[in-house]
Every structure is written in C-alpha cells, then in structure tokens.
Amino acid sequence: MKYKLKNDIALRFTMLLVIFLIALGGCTEFLEEVPTDDLTTSADLTSIEYKEPFTIGPYRRLQNWTSGAGDWGNNIPSTMEYLTGGAYTDEPHVQFNKYATNQVTGSLLDVYNNPWYYWYSGVQDCNLSIQQLPLIDMSESELNEALGEVRTLRAFYYFCIVRYWGDAILVTEPITDVWETELPRTSLKTIYDEVIIPDLEFAVQNLSAGRSTDGRVTQDVARAILADVYMTVAGYPYQEVATNPGTDWCGTGAWSMTEYPVASGLEFLQKAQTQLNALYNNVYTLGTYDDLRDPAMDNLGEAIFQVQFDAQLGGNGLLQPSLPLLSAITPSEENGTFTPWVGYYNSYSDDDLRKQERQFFFTYDYLYSNPSERVDFDVPYLYKQYVEAAVKSTDGSGLNWSHYRYGDILLMLTEVNWALKELGQSVSDNDIIKGINEIRERALLPAYTASEVGLKEILAERAYELIFENKMLWDQRRTRKCVVYGDGEISAIQNFVGHQPAIFNFAFAPMHLLSPIPGNEIARNGLSQQNSGYLPTQN
C-alpha cells in the first residue's frame, strides 16, 4: 500500500508539472496561435479533476530537504548542523574548515543557493495553487480544505526562509515575469504577521482533524507547525524586531537582546500552549528508538509531519552521508559527512539508553565483502539513518524524514509551560514536567521535579533527543542560547553571542544569528542586500 501511494504521489507531481507548463506556457490551441513571447495563465483549469493536482503539487519541494548542497557528500541537513558547532567531518569536499574558521559566505558551494531555490520554488508552487484552486468548481468546504493544505505548505516554506535568512523576498502571487523577482527584502516580522501565521491559523480552522497517515497535511500537522511558529515569534529575532520595526536589523546586525523567555512574547507562548495541548496525549506514542529508523514505521507511532521517501524511487539521500567515510561496510558511497562531533556524543550520560550501541549511535559494523569481519570506527557515528537493508545493498533508504514528531511536541510543551511560569502565569508542576519526563523515561533516565527544570535542562534534552534532526540551529537562534558539551552532561548554557564551540576558532557574533544571502540571489537581484558581516555584497 505504501509503495503504491508514494508512486501515486510521484505521478501526481508529474501531472502538476505538466499543468504548470500548460498554465504558464499556452493552451490546447497552441499550434494555431501566433507566438507573443508572453507567459499566460489562460488555460481552462477549472474542472474538478484539477483540484487534486493543484493541492498536492506544492509537496514536491519537501523532498529536497535532504538534497545535495554542492560537491561530493555535501547535503543540506549536514550544512545546517555544521553551523551549530555540534557536527564534525574530516571529509574535505564539504569544506568544514570554512565553518570552523568563520569563512562561511553566501557562495560557499551551494550551501545557501540550493535551499533558497528549493524553498522559493515551493512558495511559487503554493502561490499558483492558491490562485487556481478558487477557480475550480467545488464546494466551499472542499476549497477551504484544499487551501488549508497548500497554505500550510507555503507557511512552512516561508518559515524555513525567515529562520535561515531573516528578512526575505515576499511573493504571494504566481511569478509570470522573471523581473518580478527583483525585489527588496521584506521585514521578517511582516512575513510572519501577514503570511506565515495567517496561513497556519486558516489551516487549523479548515483542515480535517487527525494525524497524517501519508505525508499529507492534516490539522495535526498544521498545529505542530503553528506551535513552533508561535514559540519562535515569542523569542528571537521577532521580538527584537518588534521593538523598532523600522530598523534595518538584518543589514546592520545590531542584535543585542539576550533574555529568554521574552516578556513581550507572552501572548504567543499562550497560543503555542493551546496548539500543543491539542496534540498532547492524543493518538501519538513514543515507541522504541528502533522505530525512528524503521521504514515500516513511516507515518506511524510518533510521526506527525514527515517527508515521504521510497527506496525504489531513490530514497532519502541521508544514508550515505551518515556512514563512516570509505569504511567498506556498504557497496554504495560512504561520505562520513552527517556526523555528530565526538564531544556531543560524550556529553550523553552513560546511563542514557540513547548513547548505547545501536540506539542513536554505532561504533562498529561489518565489511560488506566479508560479513564476518568487524570494522571498528575511530568515533561514534549517527545511527538514526541506519536502515540495514539499504546499507547492505545498493538500494536507497525508504526512511521518511521527520520535520515534526511527538518527542519534539513533548519537549516544546515543557518549554512553553516553563516559560509561561517564568513570566508569572499559573502553571502546574505536572504541566512543566510531563513532557520532558516522558522523554527521559524512554531514555531510562530519572524523572525531574518541576524545581529541577530550567532552560538548561530543556535545551539539553532537546539536544539529546532531537540530535541531527535540524532543530538545534533554530533553537540557538530563537532562544539566543547555546549548550556547552561536558563530560556526561550539558554542563551549562551560554548566550549565543560570545559562545565559542570547542571545535571552532572563533566566538559567535551577532552576524551568526542569521545566514548569508546566497551568492546567486545577490548576483541576480540587485535590490537584495546582504546580511550584516557576510559576503558577497552588492557591487
């Protein structure tokens, strides 16, 4: 059933691309028309059979989350971990030394060019669908359901964009002229206020209740993303921008606020709590750590919003980067580029089940050519992406990529309740500890009391549970705090600005709260200015 479904989605993607070409390029009478050199959306796409392609088409760019970022072994998820100071590789193609020595620019391989292209392509797909869906003959409830899916996806793409780059190009209608993309950047606060939050609030109101069983957006998916958005705008950089919206914060890099939680974010925290309470203790279960790397558990257990992959269609692209470099344990590539720094691993308690062999990490395997010969690694490698059937063959990995799972929701719930208590709201001790203690119980760690839970404990548990799920970068930026890896513990948290990761030769500065605008965007859009401190800049 799953294989059929995923091929069906792929077929629908193809249908949508054809429709997009029809919509933008001509009509059925093309051969009889005189070319005008103008793009057109004049094709008749109003019959009901076009509803599903326009609804499902914008999903296609989700799969690019695990795509390459230029050169051998380099992929987008790895590059997002390199920035945090918690990842390491000695594979030279990915140029990790640039991250460790403060030489990252917008032209570093395709580290920034590719996500910018993929996420804005997703926005464009969504904008076209949002324009076309109301023209199709269907009931109001059917229309709102379809729009709820698409607007959730648009909000998610924009959420990724503004967390990475801050102010961004705001486009809410289909682009029919390439020159329409030469625009100045719009305030990140405006994008949150006018697109991301309204899109998600609309979706929660109009989508069918329940979990996603096939990667499609449901009300639960919209709730999870909206809760994350509310928690992000309750922190940084939104709350600092809100103190003076007219300031060019991204261009000047004049970031200075460090307090967390932020008192002015109280209303957003309360809204996040509402969404998280709706997801708590519902239909989701934590299960075992094996479930997290079992393709048979895709869209089941604690999965809330997953990008769909199929081994027969190429797989998720993260298996090879997770394997030790040239270790000969597989007949396929072994890149060694999606690897936690050993100090990160060492900060786990020896009592933590997640640290045990073949839970979240592995330290040995067997030669593919001689399965009886053991290969011991110099350092532990990430086991979360290890699918044995894929490792020991040339097949791809059918493991889905989780953007949101129940473990994340539980930790967000603890954080939001702790933050509300810190800001003077009435919150029970149980509401503070219930989420984090469910996570710790699975890890075979002792439960916390409410008085033991602070921001250090929350961020530490997020670091341990969500390792290499592309959460830490966002956590660092929204809280402006970094964890300090100790021996068997997270020994402290420090302000982001001034924190120096152990494997970097520099301390984070305000510029590092954002990433550089891609070199391709700077070259093609003369109105797009670079973030403070980065190259390339406009001539």
Side-chain angles (χ1 to χ4, degrees), residues 314-326:
N316 70 13
L318 277 181
L319 178 62
Q320 284 70 38
S322 300
L323 301 178
L325 179 65
L326 305 178

Side-chain angles (χ1 to χ4, degrees), residues 164-428:
Y164 222 14
W165 293 291
D167 297 350
I169 308 302
L170 178 58
V171 181
T172 57
E173 295 182 357
I175 297 296
T176 58
D177 183 339
V178 68
W179 296 109
E180 294 176 12
T181 62
E182 189 167 2
L183 297 167
R185 295 163 66 191
T186 295
S187 167
L188 64 93
K189 182 177 184 300
T190 299
I191 297 173
Y192 275 115
D193 292 346
E194 297 184 5
V195 178
I196 297 173
I197 293 175
D199 276 357
L200 290 167
E201 290 178 340
F202 174 89
V204 168
Q205 292 298 316
N206 289 281
L207 284 169
S208 298
R211 71 179 301 157
S212 173
T213 60
D214 58 3
R216 296 283 292 269
V217 169
T218 64
Q219 186 183 72
D220 280 6
V221 173
R223 285 190 188 280
I225 302 173
L226 182 56
D228 198 6
V229 167
Y230 283 148
M231 291 185 68
T232 300
V233 296
Y236 302 110
Y238 183 99
Q239 290 302 321
E240 186 158 19
V241 172
T243 64
N244 190 350
T247 296
D248 179 15
W249 293 97
C250 299
T252 63
W255 311 109
S256 63
M257 292 176 64
T258 61
E259 182 180 359
Y260 188 84
V262 188
S264 55
L266 174 62
E267 183 178 351
F268 286 125
L269 289 172
Q270 292 170 326
K271 290 181 176 182
Q273 183 190 51
T274 298
Q275 301 305 320
L276 294 168
N277 283 339
L279 293 169
Y280 178 69
N281 201 22
N282 191 348
V283 298
Y284 303 99
T285 56
L286 288 180
T288 69
Y289 297 130
D290 287 344
D291 292 343
L292 298 178
R293 57 177 186 82
D294 184 358
M297 291 298 294
D298 285 351
N299 306 311
L300 299 173
E302 64 180 291
I304 295 177
F305 183 36
Q306 292 190 322
V307 181
Q308 306 297 291
F309 290 101
D310 194 299
Q312 303 303 315
L313 299 176
N316 70 13
L318 277 181
L319 178 62
Q320 284 70 38
S322 300
L323 301 178
L325 179 65
L326 305 178
S327 55
I329 64 174
T330 177
S332 301
E333 289 183 358
E334 299 148 331
N335 306 136
T337 51
F338 194 49
T339 307
W341 172 52
V342 68
Y344 193 163
Y345 167 85
N346 287 337
S347 74
Y348 281 79
S349 166
D350 288 341
D351 296 327
D352 193 327
L353 179 60
R354 293 167 295 200
K355 190 180 184 181
Q356 306 313 307
E357 185 70 25
R358 299 190 174 237
Q359 296 295 328
F360 276 12
F361 308 94
F362 70 128
T363 61
Y364 70 90
D365 206 343
Y366 296 89
L367 287 178
Y368 172 73
S369 60
N370 183 4
S372 64
E373 184 173 343
R374 175 165 160 160
V375 180
D376 291 296
F377 313 140
D378 292 338
V379 296
Y381 283 82
L382 189 72
Y383 200 59
K384 277 186 169 181
Q385 295 294 325
Y386 191 103
V387 177
E388 186 168 5
V391 172
K392 302 305 180 181
S393 73
T394 56
D395 294 337
S397 169
L399 187 66
N400 287 347
W401 171 268
S402 288
H403 280 303
Y404 293 94
R405 60 181 176 92
Y406 192 50
D408 191 5
I409 298 301
L410 291 174
L411 293 173
M412 283 197 277
L413 188 61
T414 284
E415 182 179 336
V416 76
N417 284 324
W418 167 83
L420 287 170
K421 184 73 173 286
E422 289 290 300
L423 295 177
Q425 302 302 296
S426 178
V427 180
S428 72

Side-chain angles (χ1 to χ4, degrees), residues 474-505:
W474 310 140
D475 288 348
Q476 289 177 341
R477 292 181 176 187
R478 67 181 177 82
T479 66
R480 294 192 177 168
K481 307 297 177 187
C482 295
V483 298
V484 178
Y485 303 109
D487 184 9
E489 65 173 349
I490 296 294
S491 58
I493 57 172
Q494 295 178 345
N495 287 336
F496 180 93
V497 175
H499 171 73
Q500 180 171 337
I503 51 175
F504 286 6
N505 72 353

Side-chain angles (χ1 to χ4, degrees), residues 42-120:
S42 61
D44 182 5
L45 303 173
T46 60
S47 57
I48 192 63
E49 62 261 29
Y50 294 114
K51 170 181 175 287
E52 187 72 351
F54 274 118
T55 305
I56 204 169
Y59 285 83
R60 68 189 179 105
R61 286 305 181 189
L62 292 179
Q63 290 189 327
N64 290 119
W65 191 275
T66 61
S67 293
D71 218 330
W72 189 82
N74 203 27
N75 61 83
I76 292 170
S78 296
T79 63
M80 296 174 71
E81 298 296 341
Y82 296 157
L83 294 166
T84 69
Y88 177 79
T89 181
D90 55 10
E91 201 294 308
H93 290 81
V94 303
Q95 300 184 37
F96 177 77
N97 64 300
K98 297 290 181 66
Y99 299 88
T101 58
N102 199 22
Q103 298 183 67
V104 169
T105 74
S107 299
L108 174 59
L109 301 174
D110 283 318
V111 169
Y112 300 106
N113 289 329
N114 284 1
W116 182 279
Y117 170 74
Y118 294 141
W119 296 341
Y120 269 109

